[in-house]
Amino acid sequence: MDVSWEEFGWERLGDGVGRRRLPVWDATAALIAGESSLLLYDTGATLREGAELRAQAEALFGRRVTHIALSHPHFDHVLGTAAFSGAEVYGAVGIERALVREALRDDAARQGVSVEEAAEAADLLVLPHHAVCGEWTLDLGGRQVLLANVGPGHSGHDLAVLVPATGDSPEIVFCGDLVEESGEPQAGSDAVASRWPAALDRLLSLGGEDAVYVPGHGAVVDAAFVRAQRDQLAVRFGVL
């Protein structure tokens, strides 16, 4: 299942698993391939980014993205979803209430997305078809992955993805913005600070000590980094 990830500017993380660090906000978009299905974790900040991710996924594997999991409801992770016609979209239960077109459009424009691109993506916003409450196992054909509603924390609706170890590939946990490596974790108005450290405890229980942890922004980290960030957040927010 190995493909030339680097040729497309992606980072190979394991057999049939890779991610791209998107420009401007350094947001992670990840691709997980099974024998019959492709899962994309987050879709970028614009329809243009989403279309580029779609084209690269199809070039890498010769087939379309069939499943999308949204890590949380912030513009830089969700506004490319409409580029994936026919894909089944998953999100943490209740995320649809946070995916407000006007708010996403305005936030994207404030952060530097052109007004036209922000409006187009918001107008075509795709809400998840499937709500994940607890855990949901997806069969991608010869490979099962686990969607886990581990929040709230960074937002009210944080969804992680666990890719079990296979062959020489370690367990991989896609963390969304519950974990950030390229800067201090951002806590906006929808963050649930009192429960963020517990969300990181759940991530660690999912992956264990030997897993690879992929932040929503920044370089891949290990369990020690996640644990240290958990402790820093507990101090920052006064959580015992």
Side-chain angles (χ1 to χ4, degrees):
M1 201 180 287
D2 255 341
V3 290
S4 300
W5 297 95
E6 292 75 14
E7 181 182 343
F8 294 92
W10 290 62
E11 177 184 1
R12 181 187 183 275
L13 301 174
D15 184 27
V17 185
R19 65 98 178 236
R20 184 176 168 200
R21 294 169 68 170
L22 295 168
V24 185
W25 297 280
D26 191 25
T28 286
L31 193 62
I32 304 156
E35 293 173 359
S36 58
S37 302
L38 292 180
L39 169 68
L40 183 70
Y41 184 60
D42 286 348
T43 61
T46 63
L47 290 175
R48 176 171 43 83
E49 280 192 347
E52 186 176 0
L53 291 169
R54 183 194 66 212
Q56 291 175 344
E58 291 175 355
L60 283 164
F61 289 99
R63 45 199 164 94
R64 68 180 184 87
V65 171
T66 53
H67 300 76
I68 288 171
L70 298 177
S71 65
H72 64 289
H74 292 168
F75 83 92
D76 50 331
H77 299 264
V78 305
L79 282 182
T81 306
F84 298 87
S85 176
E88 294 293 310
V89 183
Y90 296 76
V93 64
I95 190 176
E96 70 282 352
R97 295 193 296 272
L99 290 170
V100 179
R101 285 178 169 81
E102 294 78 8
L104 287 166
R105 178 198 64 205
D106 294 347
D107 194 21
R110 276 195 302 270
Q111 297 297 327
V113 175
S114 74
V115 172
E116 294 77 14
E117 281 195 300
E120 179 186 30
D123 285 345
L124 297 174
L125 181 69
V126 175
L127 299 180
H129 309 113
H130 307 285
V132 180
C133 180
E135 297 178 353
W136 189 315
T137 300
L138 278 182
D139 188 345
L140 302 179
R143 158 175 269 158
Q144 291 187 330
V145 298
L146 184 71
L147 311 184
N149 184 345
V150 296
H154 172 72
S155 76
H157 313 281
D158 295 301
L159 186 72
V161 174
L162 170 68
V163 183
T166 57
D168 62 350
S169 299
E171 286 198 316
I172 302 168
V173 181
F174 291 101
C175 307
D177 285 7
L178 287 167
V179 178
E180 297 192 42
E181 184 276 336
S182 53
E184 184 174 333
Q186 298 300 301
S189 59
D190 62 339
V192 184
S194 64
R195 297 176 66 179
W196 199 334
L200 295 189
D201 287 336
R202 286 191 285 276
L203 284 179
L204 289 165
S205 68
L206 276 177
E209 288 302 306
D210 297 326
V212 168
Y213 293 85
V214 186
H217 302 265
V220 169
V221 300
D222 58 13
F225 181 97
V226 176
R227 188 170 294 106
Q229 192 157 98
R230 179 250 183 249
D231 293 343
Q232 291 162 6
L233 288 168
V235 171
R236 175 179 168 186
F237 297 125
V239 180
L240 298 178

